[in-house]
Amino acid sequence: MTNYTELLAPAGDEESLRAALDFGADAVYLAGRSYGMRAGAKNFDEEGLRGAVAAAHEKGVKIYLAVNIIPSNSEADSFPDYIRAAAAAGVDAAIAADLGVISMIRENAPELAIHASTQTGVVNFRTARELYKMGARRVVLARELSLGDIRTIRERIPDDMEIEVFVHGAMCVSFSGRCLISEYLTGRNANRGECAQPCRWGYYLMEEKRPNEFYKVFEDERGSYILNARDMCMIEHIDDLIEAGVTSLKIEGRAKSAYYTALTVNAYRAALDAVKRGEKPPHWVIDEVNKISHRPYCTGFFYGDPREGSGTQNPKEVSNGGQYFTDSGYIREYDFVGTVDDCADGIMSIIQRNYFTLSDEMELLAPGREPIRFAPEKLLNSQGERIEVARHAMEKLTAVTDISVPCGSLIRKRVKGV
């Protein structure tokens, strides 16, 4: 059993990959244009996958390829060529849920490490052992397990089998993501990466043939969000996860933005490094996860039944354990407004992403550092004209400032009125 603890980041496109690499991920999971469970993400074609592997390996970061859909017969026929090409590109592991896919990986890319996806629904050590016999060297446990369950699994599986768990991000109302609601209501199959997220919709509950059977729902004039789950946040409990035997801390979000990836990776990197030093996570990382666009947080099933206790909870939020009935919206206190393209000798080049003004309350986010208050002395547009308002997405701006940060740092502004 390894004493190494890995921080695993999502990447749905090249920009997210760069953010994960710049802000401190130990490994990145992504998908090609086929066989991955996030159809809405841009994902990586064959050339893009080779480039992703090269960029990651240059920084000593691993790449895990998601091939976790349940394939049709025709997809199963074409999978051998696909996985051979992925192995040739240099990916470090394949994340798979289907037993046929696992067997095809062993046959066609025997040198490739296999990680059993959370879609496999592993909740006990016997299943983990059987997957190990099939070639899996890591198991991504079901999200429904407690820390006690994880300790038992760790004690009763082979020493060289690793354990990965989700520590941050969206949670699914169905067991390990095995949901049919989306396909039933919209024809979009969640098990093929096409989920329409109907669990986030507002519902009215009516049952006319069961008198005296009462269903407790929280309802207002908009209906009831009876299926809507909170987001998970375990940033204050990394020490408990490590003690339970977790090898890899996984951030959810292949369909989310590069900004989200950068912020979560930066916060969890700082928290994990602090725990490794025997310290508590610095307070600024707790602030960071609250500044990320998110639904109300909880700690999932790690401490038994879902509960509120992450410590990151906004006291104004209405809660009921792991569910959230008020609405399905996000809490968003900050907007991403730009990326630092270059910074030297008091001059900062900025690629604008969203509208901002010099009067906005802004912060710079650099890898491995607490956010820095950002108020440039002067701002110039691409024509060299002095401006107070930046209106045009992707325009290259110049800021005069005494702050020095590396290329790839991010700029955000506080949302007014929040």
Side-chain angles (χ1 to χ4, degrees), residues 4 24 49 60 102 114 144 181 241 270 273 293 328 333 343 357:
Y4 170 72
L49 183 60
I102 291 174
I114 298 172
E144 292 76 20
I181 302 174
L241 294 166
D273 289 347
S293 178
S328 60
E333 297 180 353
C343 186
T357 75

Side-chain angles (χ1 to χ4, degrees), residues 313-318 324 333 418:
Q313 197 64 28
N314 186 326
K316 295 185 291 185
E317 295 162 10
V318 179
Y324 187 73
E333 297 180 353
V418 176

Side-chain angles (χ1 to χ4, degrees), residues 239-305:
D239 53 346
D240 287 346
L241 294 166
I242 294 173
E243 186 274 332
V246 172
T247 309
S248 181
L249 309 176
K250 187 172 193 172
I251 297 169
E252 181 273 340
R254 275 196 293 128
K256 295 182 180 178
S257 69
Y259 173 67
Y260 165 90
T261 299
L263 265 63
T264 50
V265 170
N266 199 44
Y268 275 86
R269 176 80 273 156
L272 176 56
D273 289 347
V275 169
K276 288 179 177 179
R277 295 191 300 268
E279 303 170 1
K280 290 186 177 297
H283 194 270
W284 69 264
V285 308
I286 313 303
D287 291 340
E288 278 300 282
V289 295
N290 281 315
K291 290 177 180 178
I292 299 165
S293 178
H294 66 282
R295 298 182 182 93
Y297 285 132
C298 72
T299 53
F301 292 82
F302 286 115
Y303 295 96
D305 289 337

Side-chain angles (χ1 to χ4, degrees), residues 104-120:
M104 286 188 285
I105 295 170
R106 292 192 67 185
E107 292 170 9
N108 296 280
E111 73 286 4
L112 193 58
I114 298 172
H115 296 176
S117 169
T118 189
Q119 300 295 124
T120 313

Side-chain angles (χ1 to χ4, degrees), residues 11-28:
D13 57 21
E14 291 183 13
E15 187 180 14
S16 294
L17 172 67
R18 289 195 301 272
L21 299 180
D22 288 344
F23 282 82
D26 297 308
V28 177

Side-chain angles (χ1 to χ4, degrees), residues 55-375:
H57 286 181
E58 184 177 354
K59 291 197 169 189
V61 175
K62 294 181 179 179
I63 292 289
Y64 305 148
L65 180 70
V67 287
N68 52 344
I69 68 165
I70 309 301
S72 64
N73 287 322
S74 62
E75 288 170 326
D77 283 340
S78 60
F79 183 77
D81 289 339
Y82 179 85
I83 200 62
R84 282 194 290 265
V91 300
D92 297 282
I95 307 168
D98 182 73
L99 299 185
V101 169
I102 291 174
S103 70
M104 286 188 285
I105 295 170
R106 292 192 67 185
E107 292 170 9
N108 296 280
E111 73 286 4
L112 193 58
I114 298 172
H115 296 176
S117 169
T118 189
Q119 300 295 124
T120 313
V122 177
V123 297
N124 63 71
F125 67 90
R126 291 301 299 260
T127 305
R129 285 181 185 174
E130 291 305 310
L131 288 164
Y132 182 85
K133 292 176 185 176
M134 295 181 66
R137 289 301 176 266
R138 177 181 292 189
V139 60
V140 188
L141 295 179
R143 302 185 200 195
E144 292 76 20
L145 295 181
S146 70
L147 288 170
D149 296 328
I150 295 170
R151 289 189 195 96
T152 299
I153 292 171
R154 176 67 274 165
E155 290 166 0
R156 304 185 70 174
I157 62 175
D159 286 347
D160 63 340
M161 189 176 204
E162 298 175 342
I163 289 176
E164 178 180 307
V165 299
F166 282 92
V167 297
H168 192 95
M171 295 183 65
C172 181
V173 71
S174 296
F175 176 78
S176 291
R178 297 178 179 182
C179 184
L180 299 175
I181 302 174
S182 178
E183 186 171 21
Y184 178 76
L185 293 179
T186 70
R188 290 169 54 179
N189 189 338
N191 298 302
R192 300 184 61 78
E194 300 169 349
C195 184
Q197 296 197 325
C199 57
R200 310 295 183 185
W201 300 351
Y203 292 91
Y204 289 89
L205 181 63
M206 182 181 69
E207 217 312 301
E208 62 182 13
K209 296 182 179 179
R210 290 183 172 83
N212 300 319
E213 291 188 22
F214 301 102
Y215 298 84
K216 186 177 180 180
V217 296
F218 292 76
E219 184 175 324
D220 60 18
E221 67 277 3
R222 295 171 296 175
S224 292
Y225 293 81
I226 56 176
L227 302 177
N228 185 46
R230 292 170 171 266
D231 282 359
M232 180 189 291
C233 180
M234 286 292 288
I235 199 162
E236 294 183 79
H237 308 286
I238 290 173
D239 53 346
D240 287 346
L241 294 166
I242 294 173
E243 186 274 332
V246 172
T247 309
S248 181
L249 309 176
K250 187 172 193 172
I251 297 169
E252 181 273 340
R254 275 196 293 128
K256 295 182 180 178
S257 69
Y259 173 67
Y260 165 90
T261 299
L263 265 63
T264 50
V265 170
N266 199 44
Y268 275 86
R269 176 80 273 156
L272 176 56
D273 289 347
V275 169
K276 288 179 177 179
R277 295 191 300 268
E279 303 170 1
K280 290 186 177 297
H283 194 270
W284 69 264
V285 308
I286 313 303
D287 291 340
E288 278 300 282
V289 295
N290 281 315
K291 290 177 180 178
I292 299 165
S293 178
H294 66 282
R295 298 182 182 93
Y297 285 132
C298 72
T299 53
F301 292 82
F302 286 115
Y303 295 96
D305 289 337
R307 65 177 192 168
E308 299 173 33
S310 76
T312 59
Q313 197 64 28
N314 186 326
K316 295 185 291 185
E317 295 162 10
V318 179
S319 68
N320 190 56
Q323 299 302 112
Y324 187 73
F325 304 101
T326 302
D327 57 45
S328 60
Y330 286 87
I331 300 165
R332 194 183 77 213
E333 297 180 353
Y334 285 81
D335 280 341
F336 171 43
V337 297
T339 302
V340 176
D341 191 46
D342 190 28
C343 186
D345 301 323
I347 302 298
M348 182 183 295
S349 295
I350 300 168
I351 303 298
Q352 183 190 344
R353 301 301 291 270
N354 289 295
Y355 173 94
F356 70 94
T357 75
L358 285 182
S359 64
D360 285 323
E361 181 182 333
M362 292 188 287
E363 293 180 338
L364 276 165
L365 290 98
R369 295 175 61 178
E370 185 174 352
I372 307 163
R373 178 70 186 273
F374 181 52

